[in-house]
Amino acid sequence: MHKAQKDKPFYFLVTGAFILSLFVVGLGAYTRLTDAGLGCPDWPGCYGFMSVPQTQAELQTAQAAYPETPVEPIKAWNEMIHRYIAGSLGLLILAIAVMAWCQKGRLKLLPSLLLMVVCFQALLGMWTVTMQLMPVVVMGHLLGGFTTVSLLWLLRLRIQPKPLFYHHGFTPNLSLSPKYLISLRTLAIAALLIVIGQIALGGWTAANYAAVVCTQLPICEGDWQGNFQASAFELIQPPHSSYEYGVLDYAQRVSIHVSHRIGAMIASAAVLMLAVLLWFKPSLRRYSLWLIAFLSLQVTLGVTNVVASLPLSVAVAHNLVGLLLLIALVTTCYRLVCDCCCSLEMKYFASEGSTHG
């Protein structure tokens, strides 16, 4: 029996952490979009308590400690529930790292990297509050969440039991030439990097409250070309008492929004190009279908956000589908890397056999 089959508890723990991480990202998007990022003015508690103040005495204490920030129970609970669940995910990832290091034969690098990422993610969560929603911190927090989910998924791919691995179409594809596989892998990695850049740009758009600054399609109203300002992309902005609701002017927000739209076109072209090439290879067609499905849904949600002025459910879905597209690309890259390695290895052993023969 393959050792991965004997390690199902570890596999199920990673799978559970992955599912929870998806929920954490969705809840984080909901918290941000309901303007609850500062629902609690301190960290990790809320107005000095480990829960949202509820009794009259607690509310009076909270008001005395933070006179300029009155308690808004709904926003405070949104923020604290997100913290509770994110904290639970952190504990699961700690357990994964401990289990990985305590048993010989388990992967060590990915669990260790995951633990480092989630620790830094906790710091970003704290800085989001203490730095009053500074855009670069908010964007970094979003990217940290997406990174955590992607690493958990990659770890799951690496450790899944072999029969399941092969059953789901990961049998090494030796019918394609190593040269073609390398070219396809290069394109997949390029598409992955472009989509990561677009996700970062989306995070920058959200952090600067630029999502609804343009209301027309396909181009933004007004002279957006003449008003384009590169200063909109300076990561470190001038100090402000709070960055909630944004501190950039109209032209700067338009510059960010238009750049996000242009980035979406570039990312769509790269993913479609990859999907078309995958489609013509029957063993890789399933990846093409997933990429096209998630890309189509993401573009539809993005257009709906503009036309309908950022409905909450659509905006949250836009975050989650962007994450699913990223996971699909990670899976595709992993499959192609595996195929390339197997193909080159088979070619090497074939050449060695012919030499010794």
Side-chain angles (χ1 to χ4, degrees), residues 52-53 59 71-78:
V52 178
L59 289 170
V71 178
E72 296 183 68
I74 294 177
K75 290 186 178 182
W77 274 117
N78 285 350

Side-chain angles (χ1 to χ4, degrees), residues 101-214:
W101 280 98
C102 286
Q103 182 166 319
K104 186 178 180 181
R106 283 177 177 157
L107 295 174
K108 304 291 191 296
L109 180 59
L110 269 177
S112 301
L113 183 59
L114 262 168
L115 185 59
M116 288 188 288
V117 168
V118 82
C119 288
F120 187 62
Q121 183 72 342
L123 287 175
L124 287 170
M126 177 184 69
W127 293 334
T128 297
V129 176
T130 59
M131 295 184 179
Q132 299 291 308
L133 301 181
M134 181 182 286
V136 68
V137 177
V138 174
M139 181 183 70
H141 197 45
L142 180 143
L143 289 175
F146 277 44
T147 300
T148 301
V149 176
S150 299
L151 289 176
L152 280 168
W153 178 250
L154 184 58
L155 178 59
R156 185 179 181 275
L157 289 176
R158 292 289 307 277
I159 67 172
Q160 58 184 329
K162 285 297 179 181
L164 182 66
F165 191 83
Y166 289 127
H167 176 73
H168 282 292
F170 279 84
T171 306
N173 189 349
L174 304 179
S175 62
L176 303 179
S177 69
K179 185 176 180 181
Y180 183 84
L181 279 172
I182 291 173
S183 300
L184 202 55
R185 181 190 64 181
T186 302
L187 176 59
I189 292 173
L192 175 63
L193 293 176
I194 291 171
V195 167
I196 291 173
Q198 175 63 4
I199 290 170
L201 193 52
W204 190 245
T205 303
N208 286 282
Y209 298 85
V212 294
V213 71
C214 295

Side-chain angles (χ1 to χ4, degrees), residues 273-289:
M273 187 184 304
L274 175 62
V276 168
L277 292 178
L278 292 171
W279 177 264
F280 290 110
K281 305 300 175 183
S283 60
L284 301 174
R285 190 167 291 169
R286 69 180 65 204
Y287 305 102
S288 176
L289 289 172

